[in-house]
Amino acid sequence: MDVGARTHVGKVRRNNEDGYLIRDGLLAVADGMGGHRAGEIASGTVLTVLRDFPFGSGEPAAELEEAMRAAHARVRQLAAEDASMAGMGTTLTVALLRPGRVHVGHVGDSRLYLWRRGELRQMTADHSVAAELLRAGQIDEAAARVHPHRHVLTRAIGALPELHVDLIEFPLEPGDGLLLCTDGLSSLVDEEDMLRVLVEHPTAQAAADALVQLALARGGIDNVTVVVARPD
């Protein structure tokens, strides 16, 4: 697949707490949170653990969960060793590509979308207060978009003692593409505009650059990170 990526600090934040990883059929985005610089340490730590994990020797879903739990343990260890990092955590959305299949591990409110036959479908579920209320039927989509706790996470790597990972698997058909992003994109750019950009740009890198530029043009209120994988 043709893969491109871009991350940007945005127009408001001083530090970029986002990060991404592209490695031998492994795609990931992470959005850190915490005190001074702790968010970027959390996201950088989990991506380093993933980069170094020996994928390929076992069942993909089990390997994904093992790698994410190792990342969780490492973040918690660093926080325990340095009081300034207490409570730090990060989202993590990972796609492990295997012949004809995509295996996804997901915690937080970063997202993975499947681009198939002219449609864009969100494959991950946001782990945020507003999203949980929406799934429970207590609020509607309009209320969720403006809910004061829409960015408050209910799950994150490292932030809580227990880790609950969503594991997803789906077929990868000829012509399919993938979009991974942090909420710096999804909170400012709707799926219709994401799809338009993917269609308009002939390469993954051009699409990733254009999506980040669109988020910046709409305020850039957060760090924004995008990874695009599309057919060669």
Side-chain angles (χ1 to χ4, degrees):
M1 298 185 83
D2 174 27
V3 180
R6 187 178 176 194
T7 186
H8 196 285
V9 68
K11 294 184 174 181
V12 176
R13 303 291 181 89
R14 293 185 176 182
N15 297 328
N16 191 350
E17 298 181 325
D18 282 6
Y20 68 85
L21 175 66
I22 299 171
R23 193 213 90 175
D24 298 332
L26 186 73
L27 312 174
V29 295
D31 178 359
M33 62 183 193
H36 179 61
R37 299 184 66 84
E40 60 192 273
I41 292 171
S43 60
T45 296
V46 300
L47 294 173
T48 297
V49 171
L50 284 177
R51 183 198 67 197
D52 296 339
F53 189 85
F55 288 100
S57 59
E59 197 276 321
E63 288 188 335
L64 268 180
E65 183 165 14
E66 182 181 353
M68 294 176 76
R69 292 194 178 280
H72 175 74
R74 180 58 178 154
V75 171
R76 290 191 62 79
Q77 178 187 7
L78 291 175
E81 293 171 352
D82 187 338
S84 69
M85 300 182 192
M88 73 175 177
T90 182
T91 71
L92 183 59
T93 301
V94 189
L96 184 60
L97 279 59
R98 292 291 181 260
R101 307 293 295 177
V102 180
H103 302 268
V104 180
H106 169 69
V107 176
D109 65 353
S110 297
R111 293 180 177 178
L112 182 143
Y113 293 90
L114 171 65
W115 177 25
R116 174 177 289 167
R117 293 190 288 273
E119 296 183 352
L120 195 65
R121 178 184 174 190
Q122 182 180 341
M123 304 300 288
T124 52
D126 294 349
H127 301 141
S128 67
V129 170
E132 303 283 2
L133 292 172
L134 176 62
R135 284 192 288 274
Q138 298 181 28
I139 60 174
D140 60 18
E141 291 189 8
R145 283 193 293 269
V146 298
H147 195 280
H149 294 154
R150 63 189 179 279
H151 299 303
V152 176
L153 297 181
T154 55
R155 300 191 209 174
I157 298 281
L160 297 171
E162 292 296 322
L163 177 65
H164 301 282
V165 177
D166 284 354
L167 295 171
I168 307 158
E169 180 184 351
F170 56 89
L172 189 65
E173 300 178 359
D176 284 353
L178 301 173
L179 167 63
L180 288 76
C181 66
T182 60
D183 67 342
L185 179 74
S186 58
S187 63
L188 294 173
V189 179
D190 62 24
E191 293 175 16
E192 182 178 353
D193 284 337
M194 292 181 194
L195 180 59
R196 175 180 56 79
V197 171
L198 291 171
V199 170
E200 288 177 352
H201 292 81
T203 67
Q205 189 60 55
D209 291 340
L211 286 167
V212 170
Q213 285 302 124
L214 184 54
L216 295 176
R218 294 186 177 175
I221 58 175
D222 198 357
N223 309 145
V224 54
T225 298
V226 173
V227 175
V228 175
R230 56 187 298 160
D232 290 321

